[in-house]
Amino acid sequence: MTTGAWWMLVVTWTIVAFFTFKFFWMILKKPPQS
Amino acid sequence: MRQTERWGSRVGLVLAMAGNAVGLGNFLRFPAQAAANGGGAFLIPYLVSFLLMGIPLLWIEWAIGRHGGKYGHHSAPGMLDRLGKQRWLKYLGVFGIFTNLTVAAYYCYIESWTLAYVFHSVVGTFSTTDPKTFFPAYLGVHEASLFAVPLEALFWFLLTLALNVWILSKGLAKGIEMAAKVGMPLLILFGVVLAVRGLTLGTSDPGVVQSPLDGLNFVWAPNFDGLGNPSVWLAAAGQIFFTLSVGMGSIQCYASYVRENDDIALNGASAGWMNEFVEVILGGSILIPIATAYLGLAAVQSATAGGSGFGLGFLTLPTLFNNWGWFAPFAGAMWFGLLFFAGITSSLAMGQPVIAFLEDEFKLPRAKSALAFGASTLALGFFCVWLYPGGAFDEFDYWTGTFSLVVFALGEAVIFAYIFGMKKGWEEITRGADMAVPRVFRFVIQWVTPAFLIVIFTTSLVKPAGEWSAAFASLAAGDGWPFAADSVVGKLMHVGDSGRWFSESGHATPMLVKDLTRVLLSVLFVSIGGLVWLAWRRRGAEGGRA
């Protein structure tokens, strides 16, 4: 893979994985809704 | 008064919402679209569209849903009726029933193919039969015939429909939520196993002709020149729009079962990002890398040039798995299994708004409503199956699964911002929020998201054959606008069609099938509008606002 492709992949995967896990973790940490 | 159903758990709700969004397109369409539109650079307009159109639309739809649920409405006509005083609002909500019913008809048919392919992968059909021979026979496609009555395909279709109806009849928490809690983790597990196996293929493995990383490079190598091309931005916005299942009325329906002061902002964001995780990380790492390893990059580039990976997924991959020895049946079952889970979690979301409409407005019990949905889907689906070779299936997909979604999303975004009003709209989105919603989204929802949708809507109307610049040059030269065959105007003008319903030998042409399909869909739309009118008339006669 080219360096450009690696960069795009790593940056995009990081952004997507970060927000996916951050938001899902926030839901898991919150008390259940009424 | 009937007791309102509720979700069993918050995680279940988010998984069901994510399952609604995750569909076959995450695995078959996204990687081909990315590769065809600038590779890694495609992800820039893609993520921009996600932030400026996708996330705002998700919040709009969650807010409309929770607001409607407060008044006992769990389907789009009632929800939109509650956004303003105008009587016509509820009729825009007809789209929220019509689209789900008609998309479910052909979507459940595709879903049934994946179930059939799981079976055939396990019993080893593809170790002896080429899928390119198997698939047309399975669909009953014969040369020069517009009709098909494929018995095996009908069997799997009926089985898939029965499964959908059974799950839907079990209810929200015990049916839909349970299916999402089982289906989504399995989908992710199967996706991870296939991605790891595919990306670790070496050139010394049997049958491998090229590194799978070359396929990954094909998806991700950035071509920044494409960023100046409007077609790339339109493709990215279109991919975001269709991957999130917005504009259908299903998100609003699921959200209407949330309590008045429960969070929707974090739930909506979480479900949206979960869809992106499945699409960008898993969807981009399976189909094209594995196909590249065994077919070579040139063949994969050719197969995905049209922006769809459907042929690779159904016609090629089953054969390629044969290179994996004892693991081949499991790999096939996992690939089509994950497509099946992606499909069924979406088709269930199409069924619930129809069921809710019958329950809320006509007081039908849930089991009967589920059966009515199943029977309608079967009748419409049979039309697609029977006239598949004639093009009925594609016609359904275009008018209901593409055009109607854009019309409904544009309508609801404008109504939310300008009739319901941004003051109330913003309060609705942020009430009970478990995350700080950046205030810039108030501006985005009011101005940017509708603008995005207007551009998508307008370009779908007048999309040119070929490049936009060439079309403008043609117009300036007085040669008229060259409408693409898949633009709305081009479709209505039958661009590329024979121009006649019967051939000289008296046989029906595909154009007849197209027009018959359009008549059927139009009659159905008007009929649902009639049901809405009837429901409101009855409510009015009972002395209450519907």
Side-chain angles (χ1 to χ4, degrees):
Chain A
M1 277 176 68
T2 61
T3 310
W6 274 121
W7 267 108
M8 288 307 298
L9 184 146
V10 169
V11 169
T12 312
W13 280 25
T14 304
I15 293 171
V16 170
F18 173 77
F19 283 109
T20 303
F21 289 111
K22 174 190 163 89
F23 289 142
F24 196 59
W25 180 245
M26 284 168 74
I27 282 177
L28 291 176
K29 293 262 285 180
K30 290 279 175 188
Q33 293 186 334
S34 49
Chain B
M1 189 177 172
R2 191 166 52 86
Q3 183 73 33
T4 299
E5 275 193 278
R6 297 285 178 204
W7 293 99
S9 68
R10 190 174 182 183
V11 170
L13 163 64
V14 171
L15 286 177
M17 277 287 194
N20 170 30
V22 172
L24 275 72
N26 290 52
F27 296 93
L28 301 178
R29 192 172 186 271
F30 167 76
Q33 282 287 320
N37 289 287
F42 175 78
L43 270 297
I44 294 171
Y46 176 86
L47 288 177
V48 169
S49 301
F50 179 61
L51 291 177
L52 298 183
M53 181 183 68
I55 286 280
L57 259 178
L58 287 176
W59 281 334
I60 289 172
E61 296 202 344
W62 276 79
I64 291 175
R66 189 182 62 175
H67 181 261
K70 189 168 69 179
Y71 296 102
H73 290 296
H74 304 92
S75 61
M79 292 172 188
L80 292 190
D81 187 51
R82 284 288 174 176
L83 292 180
K85 291 178 179 159
Q86 294 82 348
R87 290 182 170 190
W88 57 267
L89 288 174
K90 58 182 170 289
Y91 293 107
L92 184 73
V94 170
F95 278 105
I97 308 295
F98 168 78
T99 306
N100 284 296
L101 200 54
T102 47
V103 173
Y106 69 86
Y107 198 83
C108 284
Y109 189 37
I110 302 177
E111 194 181 308
S112 71
W113 301 348
T114 63
L115 197 57
Y117 267 62
V118 169
F119 171 78
H120 284 288
S121 297
V122 171
V123 300
T125 302
F126 302 121
S127 60
T128 53
T129 309
D130 186 346
K132 287 174 184 156
T133 311
F134 171 84
F135 196 49
Y138 175 82
L139 294 177
V141 176
H142 301 289
E143 214 170 307
S145 173
L146 301 180
F147 311 100
V149 187
L151 293 180
E152 189 190 345
L154 273 172
F155 165 75
W156 289 106
F157 183 44
L158 280 171
L159 188 65
T160 304
L161 270 184
L163 191 59
N164 273 276
V165 168
W166 178 68
I167 294 172
L168 285 166
S169 69
K170 303 287 274 183
L172 210 59
K174 290 182 180 166
I176 296 171
E177 186 175 331
M178 192 54 71
K181 280 181 170 173
V182 173
M184 286 303 288
L186 277 176
L187 179 153
I188 292 172
L189 175 70
F190 290 171
V192 169
V193 170
L194 289 171
V196 169
R197 179 71 189 104
L199 291 172
T200 53
L201 285 168
T203 44
S204 56
D205 285 313
V208 172
V209 297
Q210 196 167 354
S211 167
L213 294 182
D214 289 338
L216 206 58
N217 189 65
F218 174 49
V219 177
W220 287 96
N223 171 15
F224 291 108
D225 295 343
L227 290 179
N229 184 349
S231 300
V232 170
W233 281 84
L234 281 172
Q239 179 63 27
I240 280 295
F241 185 87
F242 294 112
T243 190
L244 291 174
S245 294
V246 288
M248 290 199 67
S250 48
I251 292 172
Q252 298 91 321
C253 174
Y254 275 7
S256 69
Y257 296 98
V258 169
R259 284 191 170 80
E260 186 181 348
N261 293 316
D262 281 352
D263 163 89
I264 56 171
L266 178 59
N267 286 346
S270 178
W273 279 101
M274 207 176 282
N275 175 71
E276 293 313 298
F277 180 86
V278 172
E279 177 152 294
V280 173
I281 297 182
L282 295 179
S285 306
I286 301 174
L287 184 66
I288 289 184
I290 294 175
T292 300
Y294 292 108
L295 302 174
L297 188 56
V300 172
Q301 283 171 325
S302 165
T304 56
S308 168
F310 194 87
L312 275 184
F314 276 88
L315 303 179
T316 309
L317 222 50
T319 310
L320 305 185
F321 288 141
N322 288 333
N323 290 295
W324 292 4
W326 65 267
F327 191 56
F330 297 99
M334 281 190 198
W335 170 243
F336 291 108
L338 77 83
L339 291 182
F340 175 71
F341 286 128
I344 196 165
T345 47
S346 300
S347 61
L348 291 173
M350 296 169 204
Q352 181 58 30
V354 180
I355 289 172
F357 178 67
L358 296 174
E359 283 185 314
D360 291 346
E361 316 303 348
F362 293 95
K363 311 301 173 210
L364 230 60
R366 185 170 189 96
K368 281 189 179 170
S369 302
L371 275 174
F373 167 73
S376 314
T377 310
L378 177 62
L380 291 167
F382 183 77
F383 189 88
C384 290
V385 175
W386 179 48
L387 288 169
Y388 179 89
F393 186 100
D394 292 338
E395 208 62 14
F396 261 68
D397 183 35
Y398 185 82
W399 292 109
T400 70
T402 309
F403 180 66
S404 295
L405 305 191
V406 179
V407 173
F408 186 50
L410 175 59
E412 68 178 353
V414 171
I415 289 166
F416 185 80
Y418 297 99
I419 292 181
F420 188 55
M422 271 318 296
K423 186 164 182 273
K424 280 199 281 182
W426 187 250
E427 194 278 328
E428 191 67 44
I429 289 170
T430 53
R431 193 175 66 247
D434 283 331
M435 66 180 285
V437 184
R439 201 168 171 78
V440 67
F441 277 102
R442 183 173 170 153
F443 173 82
V444 170
I445 288 170
Q446 187 166 11
W447 299 106
V448 183
T449 306
F452 254 87
L453 291 166
I454 287 169
V455 170
I456 292 178
F457 176 71
T458 310
T459 51
S460 73
L461 286 182
V462 297
K463 180 184 170 191
E467 289 295 321
W468 284 84
S469 53
F472 280 113
S474 167
L475 192 65
D479 295 332
W481 186 265
F483 291 104
D486 62 345
S487 66
V488 174
V489 178
K491 282 267 180 192
L492 292 174
M493 289 168 55
H494 282 295
V495 170
D497 286 338
S498 63
R500 47 197 301 175
W501 284 348
F502 295 96
S503 66
E504 287 179 2
S505 56
H507 290 103
T509 66
M511 193 169 132
L512 176 65
V513 175
K514 284 184 183 178
D515 284 340
L516 278 177
T517 310
R518 290 175 194 181
V519 170
L520 172 74
L521 295 174
S522 304
V523 168
L524 184 66
F525 188 90
V526 172
S527 303
I528 296 171
L531 286 177
V532 171
W533 175 81
L534 186 66
W536 260 252
R537 194 165 162 237
R538 285 169 47 158
R539 290 266 188 128
E542 288 165 14
R545 182 178 174 175

